[in-house]
Amino acid sequence: MDLLTPLVLVIGVLVLVAAFTLAARRLLDLRFGIVRTLLAGTFVVLIAGPLMKAFAGTVAPDDPGVTPIWFFILAVVCALLAGLVPLVIAEALIPSGSLPGPLELAGGLRRHLIRSRRYLRITRILVRHGLGPYLRGRDPDLGASSSRARLARSLREALDDGGVTFVKLGQILSTRSDLLPVEFVEELRLLQDGAASAPWAEIEPVLVAELGGPVEETFAGFDREPLAAASVAQVYRARLRTGEEVVVKVQRPGIATVVEQDLDIIDRLARSLERRTRWGRAFGVAALSRGFADALREELDFRIEAGNMAAVAAVSAGEPVHVPVPYPKLSGRRVLVMEWLDGTPLGAAAPGGQAGQELARTLFDTLLRQIMLHGVFHADPHPGNLMLLADGRLALLDFGSVGRLDGSLRDALGRLLGAMDRGDPLGVSDALLEVVPRPDEIDERELEREIGRFMARHLLAGTPPDAQMFGRLFRIVSSHGLSLPPEVAAVFRALATVEGTLARLAPGFDIVTEARAFSLRHLTESLGHQRVREEVTREVLGLLPMVRRLPRRIERIADAAEHGRFGLNVRLFSDERDRRHVTGMLHQVLLTVLAATTGLMAALLLGTDTGPRVTPGVGLHQLIGYNLLLVSAILGLRVLVVVFRRNG
C-alpha cells in the first residue's frame, strides 16, 4: 500500500501535466519543447491546489448550489494562465528549437570535444605556415606579385598538411580563377590528391559490405594491389565472371566521418572569417564553403558518380571522346565498378604536334556540344580526369562533378556567346542579365562598358588567346553584384579549366577561333532543311489548338462589345498564399479586438459593487469579471505568440 500511493500520485501528476500540454498547444497554437512544457505543467500542478483552497475559503461550507463549481473552474483557469505566461515569455526570449534538447546536448558535447581537438590541430597547421594573422582579421597583402606568390605557397602547404578535405578544397579553389589571383590558382594546382595505399585487410570489408558477399562471388579475378591510391578512394583492376576487364573504385573506410568533421570546421571557419574580416566578406567564403561541402558530399556517394557517368555517356553517343561504361548493379555508395580502359593519363602523356592539335580540337568541340546541345557536361575536364587511349582517342574520367542545363539556360548562353562573337557589348550585357538573377540596383551602362573593354582585349581578330579570359569575365560578373546560378557557374568553371588542358595538349590553341568555328557548324546544322522542317512542324503543332479557338473567341469579344456587355473581371487574392496571409492578419486583428474587449468588460464588471451576491465577499458581476479577465489574458497571450513567431 505504501508503494501504491506514490505510484498513483506520480501517474496523477503525469496525467495533469499531459492535460496542461494539450490545453497549452490548443490555446496558443504552438508546440513547445518537452523540458519547458514539463516545467510549466509541474508548476501548474503545484499551484492548482493552493489556488483551489484560497477560492474555496470564500464559499460557505454549507452552500449547496453551483457556486463551488464556478470557483473551482476559476482556480483551474488561473493555474492554467499561470503556466501559460512563463511559456510565452520563454518563447519570446528563447524560441523553441533554438537550444538543443538533453540528448542532443549530450551528443553535441561529444562532437564538440572531437571537433575542438581537430580545430586546434588545423589552427596549429595554419599558424605554423604563417597564416595565423589572417585568421585574426589581417587583410592579405595582394599588392606585389612576390607577396601573392609567397602567400599562395603558404596556403598550399597548409592545405596539404590539413588532410583529404583541405586538399580537395585547394583543388576546387584552383579552378576559381574568377575569385583568386593567378598566383594562387597556379600554386593550388600543384596539390596532388595522393596518399599511401591502405592495406587490403581494411579495404576488403568495404567491398564485402557493398557487394553483399565475398569478393570471389562477384569477380573471377581481383588484383589486391591498387592501381592508384587517393585520399578518398583506391582503384583496383578486376575481371568479372563474364570475362570483362573492369576497374573497381573503393572508398577508404571511415573517410566519410573524417570529411564530415572537417566540413563542419571549414563551415565554422568560413562564417567566422566572413563576419570578422573584410577579405572574407569580399570573397564570400561562407557561400564558397557551402558549395564545396555539397560537392564533396556528392563525391563521396559513388552512386551519384555512376548516374553522372551514364548521363554523359548517353548524350555523348557517337562523339569521338570515350566515356567508360559503369556497372550500376555492382556499384554502391562506396564502390564503383566501371569499364577498364587501356591508355595513359593525359598528365603523363605529351602528344604534341598535329596530334595534339586534333585532340585539343576534339575535346573542346565535345565539351561545347555537351554544354550547348545536350545540357549535360563534364564540369572538371582537367588533365588528371582525361586519358589518352591506346587507339589515340581521348577518354573522360571521374564524373563526380557533372553540370546540367535546361533548355532556357542553353538558349540564353547561346545568345550570350553569339553576342560575344558579333562583338556586341550591349547584346552580351542583355544576355548576361537573362542568365543571372537580376539585382534591384545595377549600373547597366558601366556593365556594358566593362564588357566592351573585356571584348576589345580578348576577342578582337588577331588577339592571342588568354588563359585567364573566362576568369576575368567571372570577375566582371562578381564586381557588379551579379550571382551566377550554380549551373551557369559550372559552365564557366568547365571552360576555364579546359583552357589549361588545351594548353597542355596544344600550346597556343586558339580557343576563340575554335568557338567561332563551332558556332558556325552548329548554325549550319540548325539551318538545314530537315532541321528547319522539324522546328516549323513542332511550332505549328503547338499553335494549332490556339488557332482553332481564336476565331470563336474573337467573335465572342466582338458580340459582347457590340451589345454593351464587354467587361473585365479581375479576381483579387486569386493566389492561395495571398488569401492565407490576409486570413492570418484578420485572425490576429480579431484576437486582439476580442482580448481588448473582454479585458475592458472585465475591468468594468470588477468595478461594479451592485448586483446579486454569489458569496458575502464576491458579487455575480465580479465573478463574471474575473472569468472575462482570464479569457482576455489567454487571448492576449495567443496574440503575443503569433507576434513572436512572425518576428522569429
Side-chain angles (χ1 to χ4, degrees):
M1 189 68 178
D2 293 337
L3 293 176
L4 185 61
T5 301
L7 181 61
V8 172
L9 182 61
V10 170
I11 293 175
V13 170
L14 291 177
V15 170
L16 291 176
V17 171
F20 166 75
T21 302
L22 293 175
R25 289 179 178 178
R26 288 291 296 173
L27 289 173
L28 300 181
D29 190 26
L30 187 65
R31 296 180 66 88
F32 298 98
I34 296 176
V35 174
R36 64 180 64 184
T37 305
L38 288 175
L39 292 176
T42 304
F43 177 67
V44 169
V45 172
L46 291 176
I47 68 171
L51 284 175
M52 291 179 185
K53 290 182 181 180
F55 283 115
T58 62
V59 182
D62 56 348
D63 191 338
V66 297
T67 302
I69 298 177
W70 282 110
F71 280 94
F72 172 78
I73 295 174
L74 187 62
V76 170
V77 178
C78 285
L80 177 64
L81 179 62
L84 294 179
V85 170
L87 279 180
V88 174
I89 294 175
E91 187 66 24
L93 299 177
I94 310 173
S96 299
S98 59
L99 292 179
L103 296 178
E104 187 181 355
L105 186 62
L109 181 60
R110 178 177 174 274
R111 291 191 298 271
H112 176 72
L113 293 175
I114 296 174
R115 182 173 60 245
S116 296
R117 288 197 295 268
R118 178 65 171 158
Y119 190 87
L120 288 174
R121 180 171 178 269
I122 297 301
T123 302
R124 284 197 297 269
I125 290 174
L126 295 174
V127 171
R128 187 169 67 247
H129 289 282
L131 300 176
Y134 306 113
L135 298 177
R136 296 190 293 269
R138 174 182 168 186
D139 288 336
D141 182 12
L142 302 179
S145 178
S146 58
S147 300
R148 294 195 297 269
R150 186 167 52 252
L151 182 57
R153 190 181 311 111
S154 298
L155 177 61
R156 191 256 302 168
E157 293 172 351
L159 293 176
D160 203 7
D161 287 348
V164 49
T165 311
F166 294 90
V167 169
K168 289 289 183 183
L169 175 61
Q171 292 172 345
I172 294 294
L173 291 176
S174 70
T175 67
R176 297 304 303 267
S177 56
D178 58 308
L179 296 177
L180 299 177
V182 62
E183 291 84 0
F184 284 81
V185 173
E186 295 297 330
E187 188 70 32
L188 294 177
R189 283 176 180 169
L190 300 178
L191 286 171
Q192 299 297 318
D193 187 13
S197 59
W200 173 251
E202 296 180 7
I203 296 296
E204 186 177 15
V206 178
L207 265 173
V208 172
E210 292 293 324
L211 296 175
V215 177
E216 292 75 14
E217 290 184 0
T218 303
F219 300 99
F222 199 101
D223 189 356
R224 266 62 173 175
E225 289 298 322
L227 296 172
S231 52
V232 171
Q234 296 186 176
V235 178
Y236 296 85
R237 184 173 184 176
R239 187 177 70 258
L240 298 179
R241 292 196 169 275
T242 54
E244 294 102 323
E245 295 286 336
V246 295
V247 172
V248 183
K249 184 177 178 181
V250 187
Q251 191 174 119
R252 287 176 178 264
I255 194 66
T257 303
V258 175
V259 167
E260 284 298 331
Q261 293 174 0
D262 286 347
L263 288 179
D264 182 46
I265 291 173
I266 289 174
D267 178 64
R268 292 170 183 272
L269 273 174
R271 286 189 278 119
S272 175
L273 290 173
E274 188 162 302
R275 185 175 61 253
R276 297 168 54 189
T277 66
R278 288 192 300 271
W279 65 268
R281 288 189 292 272
F283 283 118
V285 292
L288 283 175
S289 72
R290 288 192 297 269
F292 166 68
D294 293 340
L296 188 52
R297 289 190 180 102
E298 286 190 2
E299 189 174 339
L300 291 176
D301 190 345
F302 291 167
R303 293 170 298 184
I304 296 177
E305 184 173 350
N308 291 339
M309 193 181 303
V312 175
V315 302
S316 301
E319 299 285 352
V321 173
H322 184 69
V323 176
V325 178
Y327 292 80
K329 293 183 179 179
L330 301 178
S331 303
R333 186 174 61 85
R334 296 182 295 170
V335 172
L336 175 61
V337 181
M338 65 189 113
E339 172 191 7
W340 166 264
L341 299 178
D342 185 15
T344 306
L346 189 62
Q354 185 62 32
Q357 286 283 342
E358 290 299 325
L359 288 175
R361 187 174 295 110
T362 299
L363 173 61
F364 188 55
D365 186 77
T366 300
L367 181 62
L368 288 180
R369 292 181 71 87
Q370 289 178 353
I371 293 173
M372 302 306 301
L373 303 185
H374 306 300
V376 180
F377 60 95
H378 195 298
D380 193 18
H382 64 76
N385 288 339
L386 291 164
M387 176 177 282
L388 184 60
L389 300 180
D391 58 6
R393 294 182 301 161
L394 283 175
L396 293 173
L397 305 175
D398 194 353
F399 292 81
S401 179
V402 168
R404 288 175 170 82
L405 297 173
D406 57 31
S408 61
L409 275 178
R410 293 203 303 273
D411 291 341
L413 280 175
R415 289 191 292 273
L416 175 65
L417 297 178
M420 291 177 68
D421 185 47
R422 296 191 305 272
D424 180 10
L426 180 59
V428 172
S429 61
D430 290 342
L432 189 61
L433 292 176
E434 290 183 36
V435 172
V436 303
R438 188 187 184 101
D440 294 334
E441 295 182 2
I442 181 173
D443 190 345
E444 294 189 33
R445 187 177 297 277
E446 179 60 26
L447 175 63
E448 181 184 344
R449 282 197 293 265
E450 283 203 40
I451 290 177
R453 290 193 292 268
F454 166 81
M455 296 172 65
R457 179 174 182 178
H458 297 283
L459 301 177
L460 289 180
T463 303
D466 187 349
Q468 303 301 317
M469 180 177 67
F470 290 104
R472 289 196 177 95
L473 181 59
F474 233 151
R475 281 192 286 273
I476 290 174
V477 171
S478 302
S479 65
H480 285 268
L482 303 175
S483 58
L484 289 176
E487 303 89 347
V488 181
V491 172
F492 281 92
R493 282 199 299 272
L495 293 174
T497 302
V498 83
E499 280 184 329
T501 305
L502 297 173
R504 173 170 294 194
L505 281 172
F509 184 80
D510 194 341
I511 191 173
V512 176
T513 301
E514 293 298 328
R516 286 171 175 164
F518 172 83
S519 300
L520 183 60
R521 289 195 303 272
H522 175 51
L523 182 62
T524 303
E525 292 175 6
S526 63
L527 292 180
H529 295 297
Q530 183 64 28
R531 186 68 177 271
V532 171
R533 187 181 300 111
E534 291 176 359
E535 291 293 332
V536 171
T537 302
R538 188 180 299 111
E539 293 295 332
V540 169
L541 289 177
L543 290 173
L544 192 58
M546 184 180 68
V547 172
R548 286 176 177 173
R549 292 191 296 267
L550 189 59
R552 186 165 61 254
R553 290 180 175 176
I554 293 176
E555 183 181 357
R556 288 178 181 175
I557 293 174
D559 183 69
E562 181 180 357
H563 294 86
R565 298 192 305 271
F566 183 77
L568 294 177
N569 183 18
V570 180
R571 293 184 58 188
L572 297 176
F573 306 113
S574 59
D575 193 332
E576 176 64 25
R577 293 172 297 180
D578 293 338
R579 291 197 295 271
R580 284 199 302 267
H581 178 70
V582 174
T583 302
M585 291 186 63
L586 289 176
H587 286 173
Q588 188 174 355
V589 170
L590 181 60
L591 286 174
T592 305
V593 172
L594 287 176
T597 303
T598 51
L600 181 61
M601 293 173 61
L604 293 175
L605 290 173
L606 289 174
T608 302
D609 293 332
T610 59
R613 313 301 295 178
V614 178
T615 67
V618 179
L620 178 61
H621 292 163
Q622 293 172 325
L623 179 61
I624 296 174
Y626 284 127
N627 284 278
L628 289 178
L629 187 62
L630 293 174
V631 171
S632 174
I634 292 174
L635 291 175
L637 291 177
R638 176 69 175 266
V639 173
L640 290 177
V641 165
V642 173
V643 172
F644 293 143
R645 186 162 48 184
R646 288 186 176 179
N647 292 336

